[in-house]
Amino acid sequence: PTRRSSDLSLAVYCTAWTYFGSIGRAASGGVWFLPIYLGPTLAMVLGWVVIRKMIRIARVYRITSIADFIASRYGKSPLLSGLVTLIAVVGIVPYIALQLKAVSGGYALLTSPVYLTEMPGRHWSQDGAFYVALALAGFSMVFGARHLDTTERHEGMVAAIAFESLVKLAAFVAVGLFVVYGLFDGLEDLFARARRVPALALLLRLEQGGEFAWGQWFALTLLSMLSVVFLPRQFQVMVVENVRESHLRRAVWVFPLYMLVINLFVLPIALGGLLYFGPAPMNAENFVISLPLAAGQQALALFAFIGGLSAATGMVIVETIAVSTMVSNELVMPMLLRTRHFRPDAGHDLTWVLLGIRRAAILGVLVLGYVYFHLAGEAYALVSIGLISFAAVAQFAPALFGGLYWKGGSRRGALAGLLAGFLMWVYTLMLPSIAKSGWLGTD
């Protein structure tokens, strides 16, 4: 059971983005949802040697987070670990917002079937997404900030994430089978009908409006390949929570197989929704729930929502636990230990202080996610929000790989690279996403 949990916990990569956003992406771009899953598959199949080396280093040096890992390769630099933590916190805020947007949208659709487009902005006290954020904060505190563990491993959390991975897979496949064999007469019938509609026939081609965009395909694949290693939650389940190195050999084929199965029905559901609803103003990202509802299958729609909720909850729990560990270990505690009251020779028990810091960090990250959702969430599709976070954590790649394989790498160079990349990310991705929502002038 431990081995299976370890393998399946890697599927925390498949969040509400996979569950809802991929269908929206497929409905507008056809097979262009694939690079997001091709990258992680290639990373596991081709890059397992790198991951194995990271696991070995983490075990020897008792690594507790990706910030700790990068800093340990450059003389345990507190400044470097603090910068990595800051980038991680700011970078995953859009991803948290993505989960809140997906869950609140799915719940609104389930409870009010007339919900067709995005709901207008509400005051936070009347917004269900705000209370979803608080509930997720509570779950995360229960799973990851109830007690301290020197290894920073959470076996109960890993088992819960593995179960959640099975739930979301079963729900998504159930909806896919219903669409293909319940609403249509199999895949052949579905694709034949799609080919007869010129707009849908274009979705079955790699070329979208001309030549194939190799550059964009490569960039998306590379971003997702890096994200499966550098997202705090992925580093947590892949490296920190790893109990035995032998688990990696099994994960090398289990994780790609999981990715294959959960993506089999993405394009069929997208095409099925476009054919079934026609020109009606339906949000394609909600097809996984709106199709069963429209066909009178309320139980299946509820199961689909539970699958989406599982996908979002699993991601938020692991991500906030990983980030709260970084915030307490790399930012707050180093500052507190410099004060007279919290010096190591003062003899104080810091257990409750650490737990309080982590709980506050979990709540703070989720509130930040809600604020971003409130500011920019309505202006972007789920996939676009997710890619903003992918680009943020990709900044870790040069410093981490340089530390692993380049003896000439220095702390100053790592700091300069991370800072330059982070500022570029803020200017070209974070600020435009807020400006697009109208909260900042586009000038």
Side-chain angles (χ1 to χ4, degrees):
T2 303
R3 184 183 299 175
R4 294 192 190 98
S5 297
S6 177
D7 299 335
L8 288 171
S9 65
L10 293 181
V12 73
Y13 178 84
C14 300
T15 65
W17 178 352
T18 300
Y19 208 85
F20 299 101
S22 289
I23 296 174
R25 176 82 165 180
S28 61
V31 295
W32 275 86
F33 73 93
L34 284 176
I36 307 302
Y37 307 98
L38 181 61
T41 301
L42 291 174
M44 290 301 297
V45 174
L46 303 178
W48 65 271
V49 176
V50 178
I51 298 170
R52 184 182 65 183
K53 185 171 184 177
M54 292 168 62
I55 290 172
R56 289 175 176 177
I57 291 171
R59 184 174 294 114
V60 171
Y61 291 95
R62 301 174 69 88
I63 299 298
T64 59
S65 66
I66 190 168
D68 189 19
F69 188 95
I70 293 176
S72 71
R73 310 307 290 160
Y74 299 94
K76 282 283 185 181
S77 167
L79 185 60
L80 187 56
S81 63
L83 179 59
V84 172
T85 301
L86 179 64
I87 294 173
V89 171
V90 178
I92 61 102
V93 162
Y95 220 138
I96 299 290
L98 184 159
Q99 313 307 313
L100 298 178
K101 178 178 181 179
V103 171
S104 61
Y107 179 75
L109 179 64
L110 197 65
T111 55
S112 178
V114 295
Y115 174 93
L116 298 178
T117 57
E118 299 296 333
M119 298 184 72
R122 301 177 179 179
H123 188 266
W124 63 267
S125 62
Q126 298 177 317
D127 192 350
F130 177 71
Y131 298 102
V132 169
L134 293 183
L136 289 176
F139 277 119
S140 302
M141 290 176 192
V142 168
F143 277 103
R146 187 169 50 185
H147 55 79
L148 292 179
D149 188 332
T150 55
T151 64
E152 298 297 354
R153 289 187 183 137
H154 309 82
E155 292 184 12
M157 177 198 72
V158 172
I161 298 305
F163 178 72
E164 165 267 319
S165 298
L166 292 175
V167 171
K168 67 188 177 191
L169 180 64
F172 197 81
V173 170
V175 174
L177 291 172
F178 168 72
V179 171
V180 173
Y181 298 102
L183 298 181
F184 299 90
D185 295 326
L187 285 173
E188 187 177 349
D189 174 53
L190 175 60
F191 284 108
R193 292 194 193 188
R195 288 191 189 96
R196 289 196 290 268
V197 181
L200 300 188
L202 290 175
L203 299 180
L204 301 177
R205 301 174 57 184
L206 281 174
E207 303 86 1
Q208 298 294 319
E211 296 182 358
F212 181 67
W214 289 104
Q216 188 179 357
W217 187 280
F218 173 77
L220 291 173
T221 304
L222 179 63
L223 270 183
S224 57
M225 186 183 294
L226 295 175
S227 69
V228 80
V229 179
F230 298 126
L231 281 169
R233 70 175 187 277
Q234 295 300 134
F235 189 89
Q236 181 77 26
V237 297
M238 189 182 298
V239 178
V240 178
E241 301 287 349
N242 182 273
V243 178
R244 286 193 191 90
E245 189 181 301
S246 59
H247 292 175
L248 180 62
R249 288 199 296 270
R250 186 184 178 105
V252 165
W253 64 268
V254 171
F255 181 59
L257 179 63
Y258 186 97
M259 301 284 276
L260 172 65
V261 174
I262 203 169
N263 281 288
L264 282 177
F265 291 103
V266 169
L267 191 56
I269 292 174
L271 293 175
L274 294 171
L275 286 168
Y276 190 87
F277 294 116
M282 295 296 293
N283 185 350
E285 291 175 343
N286 290 322
F287 279 170
V288 71
I289 295 177
S290 58
L291 279 170
L293 276 179
Q297 300 290 329
Q298 281 79 12
L300 181 59
L302 178 61
F303 186 34
F305 173 74
I306 291 172
L309 182 64
S310 296
T313 304
M315 175 271 170
V316 170
I317 288 174
V318 183
E319 199 82 81
T320 53
I321 287 173
V323 170
S324 68
T325 299
M326 285 193 279
V327 169
S328 70
N329 291 1
E330 315 300 341
L331 285 182
V332 181
M333 284 309 296
M335 290 188 291
L336 287 181
L337 291 174
R338 289 192 182 97
T339 64
R340 181 179 302 174
H341 184 73
F342 290 102
R343 279 179 183 169
D345 55 2
H348 293 293
D349 183 6
L350 300 179
T351 301
W352 290 106
V353 176
L354 273 169
L355 287 176
I357 293 169
R358 294 189 181 186
R359 288 167 183 166
I362 288 171
L363 181 61
V365 167
L366 276 158
V367 169
L368 284 174
Y370 172 76
V371 170
Y372 184 87
F373 162 72
H374 203 64
L375 292 178
E378 302 299 330
Y380 276 78
L382 294 178
V383 168
S384 300
I385 297 176
L387 287 174
I388 292 173
S389 285
F390 274 22
V393 298
Q395 310 307 319
F396 300 151
L400 190 144
F401 289 138
L404 282 178
Y405 295 104
W406 184 37
K407 293 182 179 180
S410 68
R411 180 181 67 91
R412 188 174 299 175
L415 279 168
L418 280 169
L419 191 58
F422 179 58
L423 292 176
M424 182 69 76
W425 173 82
V426 169
Y427 184 69
T428 59
L429 287 173
M430 177 63 97
L431 289 182
S433 70
I434 298 175
K436 188 175 179 180
S437 66
W439 287 86
L440 283 178
T442 53
D443 296 340

